[in-house]
Amino acid sequence: MKNSLLNYTIHLADNAHILGHRLGEWCGHGPILEQDIAMTNISLDLIGQARSLYQYAAEIEGRGRTEDDIAYLRDAWDFRNVLLVEQPNGDFGKTMVRQFLFDAYNFLFYKELKNSNDQQLAAIAEKSLKEVTYHQRFSSEWVIRLGDGTEVSHEKVQNALNDLWMYTGELFVMNDFEKDMTNNGTGVDLEKLKPLWQEKVDYILKTATLAKPQNDWMQSGGKTGRHSEHLGFILAEMQFMQKTYPGQVW
Amino acid sequence: MADLNSLEAKFQEKIDNEIKIEPKDWMPEKYRQTLIRQISQHAHSEVVGMLPEGNWITRAPSLRRKVALLAKIQDEAGHGLYLYSAAETLGVERDDLIEQLHTGKAKYSSIFNYPTLTWADIGAVGWLVDGAAIMNQVMLTRTSYGPYSRAMVRICKEESFHQRQGYEILLTLSRGSEDQKRMLQDAVNRFWWPSLMMFGPSDKDSVHTAQAMKWKIKRKTNDELRQQFVDVCVDQARILGVTLPDPNLKWNEERGHYDFSEIDWDEFWNVVKGNGPCNKQRMDARIKAHEEGAWVREAAMAYAEKQAKRRKEETTQVA
Ligand SMILES: [Fe+2]
Ligand SMILES: [Fe+2]
């Protein structure tokens, strides 16, 4: 059970960390200065959430490791984030679609996790929910704006949506550590979130005049450590300092 | 119409009496142009300055450092926004100013044309580059143009935080391994002289200084500020255990200041002219971000127009 709680916490931390890292790649390169600032804001929130979760994971583990040990000293197969969050930024439209698909899930998720019988996770969820509420508003507004903007923007976000759709199924596939955590009242029952997520996504896509993709085949593997090719490159950059200069204080 | 001479006399009298000039006040055209040039150059520097530091976000060595770096760069973007707004009070548009940057008509601080090669550079930028910027900006909180002065008050608080944060990165390195100390010294070697160049040409070669002083846009000359900066850095360098790369740096009892070598003005002018190590990369990155963002800005505008039209239709229906 302790192992499931550890994996569960690391899974949540990795989701936030990898997505925050991806958004950080935008910093200084955004399409509008105001949007640059907003994406950095979301990145900061997510990495902040990841830190709380990694710190808690280190505590559960009880081997004296730190948040940085967990973040920087694992290889891709030990990362538990969903495939969606490691997908490349693409253009601003693709980043916003990825963000929206994840935010819509994350919002519902934290709303439930707030009631967890694990006090630490409940507290982190409570704090994160405020942030994620804003993220969801931001990304859904942009999906609508771009979907219902010009012909060019409509086509771009529709393509992005088509490309990313196959990574949404994994959000709701429960694997062993999630089942364990749901059974003992710590985790969130993803089956229950799925219809709510679909409702939200349908509504936003409709408002954005975007068509819901029809392909049903869903990729998965992230939660069990089988990632896309992208994660290795993310880690190569992210972990460069810790790997080149092991054991230093920064 | 009041004649120009009496308007100018009244304007100068206000300046002499430390009364701030506000957007609606009469001002000499040259004063306006000087401010537009200086404020927009300052705004561009904040935005271009995001790039060398942004370079290390994905490689920051710890989560704590990554968060701090992101927040710092975000502050710089905010400074860019305040300054563009301050410039707009003088009757120019942000889009036009950005256009001038991209076509090379407007300048930005040359320091950002130097590369950030190691993590220690992030510390050095905070300590020296933000440090030099503060010297200039603290002076500018007392500049004669109201909106510029107020923007500077806000900005200065954040800049001094950046500087402490950068210094703390270096302090951590100074207490670390041989590799870390080497990184530290190397960063200081590369950033020391370009930081001194940030104060601009020497007073004897500065074409704008005299008029800018009379109008109290500036309150200290380039050389005065540079000296002030050198004086504070020497002690800070000692605490870090680094050597500042200048064999002639020594205390001059008589002047009450540190003496230092002549700046390599050839390098200075060369980088200003566009031949610094990263001039091209910095401009390319800004232009790319702007061009690739065009469809986003157009979509946002098109959507806003549609929404306005829809709202109007709704209200006419109700009525
Ligand atoms: Fe700044
Ligand atoms: Fe700064």
Side-chain angles (χ1 to χ4, degrees):
Chain A
M1 218 25 101
K2 181 180 138 182
N3 218 9
S4 289
L5 179 62
L6 179 61
N7 278 324
Y8 196 71
T9 307
I10 286 181
H11 154 65
L12 298 179
D14 288 343
N15 273 349
H17 183 196
I18 299 298
L19 187 56
H21 182 90
R22 277 293 193 215
L23 288 170
E25 293 172 2
W26 269 106
C27 187
H29 306 275
I32 309 170
L33 205 43
E34 282 84 347
Q35 270 32 270
D36 202 302
I37 292 174
M39 283 191 284
T40 304
N41 245 336
I42 299 174
S43 172
L44 279 167
D45 286 345
L46 289 169
I47 298 174
Q49 292 168 12
R51 290 186 68 190
S52 308
L53 290 159
Y54 282 137
Q55 284 161 15
Y56 183 40
E59 194 185 312
I60 298 165
E61 194 185 47
R63 283 169 44 206
R65 295 209 294 172
T66 65
E67 54 172 9
D68 289 329
D69 294 335
I70 300 179
Y72 292 95
L73 302 177
R74 286 176 302 152
D75 200 348
W77 53 32
D78 286 328
F79 272 73
R80 294 279 173 267
N81 60 280
V82 293
L83 299 174
L84 178 65
V85 297
E86 70 198 38
Q87 297 310 306
N89 288 339
D91 60 20
F92 179 73
K94 188 163 190 181
T95 296
M96 284 303 108
V97 172
R98 183 187 65 197
Q99 193 65 34
F100 167 65
L101 294 171
F102 186 75
D103 288 343
Y105 160 84
N106 214 18
F107 172 77
L108 294 166
F109 182 89
Y110 278 130
K111 219 167 122 191
E112 283 300 311
L113 191 69
K114 226 169 43 154
N115 308 317
S116 170
N117 62 9
D118 183 296
Q119 295 204 342
Q120 286 266 30
L121 287 182
I124 293 170
E126 173 116 38
K127 183 174 172 285
S128 306
L129 186 62
K130 288 191 199 109
E131 299 166 347
V132 173
T133 306
Y134 161 77
H135 303 172
Q136 180 182 235
R137 205 176 71 209
F138 179 81
S139 61
S140 56
E141 281 176 5
W142 271 104
V143 167
I144 293 170
R145 224 173 258 138
L146 298 175
D148 191 19
T150 62
E151 243 170 77
V152 173
S153 69
H154 178 86
E155 198 189 323
K156 279 181 192 277
V157 283
Q158 182 68 62
N159 288 340
L161 180 64
N162 297 347
D163 287 352
L164 290 169
W165 191 249
M166 63 179 163
Y167 300 109
T168 56
E170 188 190 13
L171 293 169
F172 304 99
V173 178
M174 305 252 274
N175 68 52
D176 291 346
F177 62 78
E178 289 171 301
K179 282 180 196 152
D180 278 354
M181 285 301 99
T182 308
N183 290 338
N184 80 354
T186 300
V188 175
D189 185 353
L190 301 178
E191 286 295 324
K192 277 204 253 170
L193 297 192
K194 197 173 177 179
L196 299 171
W197 180 83
Q198 271 170 341
E199 206 178 299
K200 176 77 185 183
V201 169
D202 286 347
Y203 172 72
I204 297 297
L205 294 187
K206 190 165 167 272
T207 315
T209 72
L210 292 165
K212 190 171 169 177
Q214 294 306 313
N215 52 326
D216 291 338
W217 178 255
M218 292 293 166
Q219 303 289 343
S220 63
K223 292 182 192 180
T224 51
R226 222 171 57 250
H227 289 275
S228 60
E229 290 176 341
H230 305 298
L231 187 63
F233 290 98
I234 292 179
L235 299 185
E237 245 180 90
M238 177 202 287
Q239 299 177 337
F240 156 67
M241 290 295 289
Q242 291 269 350
K243 296 265 170 82
T244 312
Y245 303 101
Q248 311 295 311
V249 175
W250 300 101
Chain B
M1 204 183 126
D3 77 278
L4 211 57
N5 283 341
S6 79
L7 282 170
E8 281 219 46
K10 237 179 97 192
F11 171 82
Q12 190 61 50
E13 194 184 304
K14 263 194 203 162
I15 301 246
D16 295 341
N17 291 321
E18 301 294 333
I19 297 168
K20 293 268 180 269
I21 306 301
E22 296 299 333
K24 291 209 169 66
D25 296 347
W26 184 89
M27 60 186 87
E29 194 47 32
K30 267 206 79 192
Y31 177 83
R32 183 190 301 275
Q33 291 311 328
T34 303
L35 276 168
I36 290 173
R37 183 176 49 80
Q38 190 176 324
I39 299 173
S40 63
Q41 189 170 319
H42 195 161
H44 300 327
S45 300
E46 301 283 355
V47 174
V48 177
M50 295 167 76
L51 298 170
E53 290 185 283
N55 204 13
W56 276 88
I57 290 171
T58 57
R59 292 177 292 169
S62 72
L63 290 167
R64 183 171 80 93
R65 292 295 185 203
K66 184 150 143 176
V67 166
L69 181 58
L70 273 163
K72 194 241 184 205
I73 301 172
Q74 189 188 36
D75 285 347
E76 306 300 2
H79 299 171
L81 281 183
Y82 304 156
L83 287 161
Y84 283 125
S85 306
E88 283 184 328
T89 63
L90 292 157
V92 284
E93 300 258 337
R94 180 166 134 195
D95 283 349
D96 297 329
L97 297 175
I98 289 172
E99 165 95 26
Q100 287 172 11
L101 171 69
H102 293 173
T103 54
K105 214 183 132 205
K107 297 274 176 236
Y108 57 91
S109 179
S110 277
I111 189 74
F112 302 118
N113 292 318
Y114 289 87
T116 49
L117 302 176
T118 73
W119 171 250
D121 289 9
I122 298 306
V125 167
W127 176 39
L128 296 172
V129 176
D130 285 83
I134 292 165
M135 290 285 162
N136 196 33
Q137 290 171 352
V138 165
M139 165 192 81
L140 288 171
T141 58
R142 291 168 49 242
T143 194
S144 57
Y145 187 57
Y148 193 23
S149 143
R150 288 188 289 274
M152 280 303 127
V153 173
R154 274 175 88 175
I155 289 175
C156 275
K157 285 191 196 124
E158 293 178 349
E159 297 295 9
S160 58
F161 182 72
H162 297 167
Q163 199 233 3
R164 281 204 301 277
Q165 196 170 271
Y167 190 73
E168 198 261 327
I169 288 176
L170 298 181
L171 205 54
T172 307
L173 296 178
S174 77
R175 292 166 181 159
S177 65
E178 282 313 307
D179 281 333
Q180 287 175 307
K181 286 177 189 156
R182 181 179 162 207
M183 225 180 258
L184 162 62
Q185 183 63 59
D186 172 66
V188 171
N189 289 348
R190 282 180 290 109
F191 275 94
W192 175 250
W193 287 110
S195 301
L196 295 195
M197 293 178 198
M198 283 175 72
F199 297 97
S202 156
D203 294 348
K204 59 184 191 306
D205 301 316
S206 178
V207 279
H208 303 297
T209 296
Q211 182 64 74
M213 298 280 283
K214 184 169 177 241
W215 279 334
K216 293 188 183 168
I217 294 175
K218 289 175 79 156
R219 292 183 169 255
K220 287 178 181 171
T221 69
N222 295 352
D223 287 335
E224 281 169 350
L225 287 167
R226 190 165 12 240
Q227 180 70 61
Q228 200 182 337
F229 179 68
V230 171
D231 289 346
V232 300
C233 283
V234 173
D235 284 337
Q236 294 172 348
R238 197 173 298 131
I239 296 168
L240 290 175
V242 286
T243 312
L244 295 173
D246 181 357
N248 298 316
L249 189 69
K250 59 173 179 297
W251 181 251
N252 182 326
E253 191 66 55
E254 209 174 300
R255 292 201 308 125
H257 290 293
Y258 282 92
D259 288 338
F260 56 98
S261 303
E262 185 71 15
I263 282 175
D264 179 350
W265 295 111
D266 288 340
E267 176 179 333
F268 174 85
W269 290 113
N270 200 30
V271 180
V272 170
K273 266 186 240 145
N275 298 326
C278 298
N279 292 60
K280 176 155 171 35
Q281 289 88 328
R282 300 297 182 239
M283 258 321 88
D284 286 353
R286 284 315 312 158
I287 292 169
K288 181 168 182 273
H290 190 72
E291 283 176 355
E292 288 181 358
W295 69 274
V296 176
R297 297 189 297 274
E298 280 157 21
M301 232 141 61
Y303 179 75
E305 277 163 24
K306 280 187 202 175
Q307 283 298 87
K309 212 173 132 201
R310 281 173 198 148
R311 266 195 300 273
K312 212 170 142 197
E313 276 164 15
E314 265 168 42
T315 40
T316 35
Q317 267 167 24
V318 173

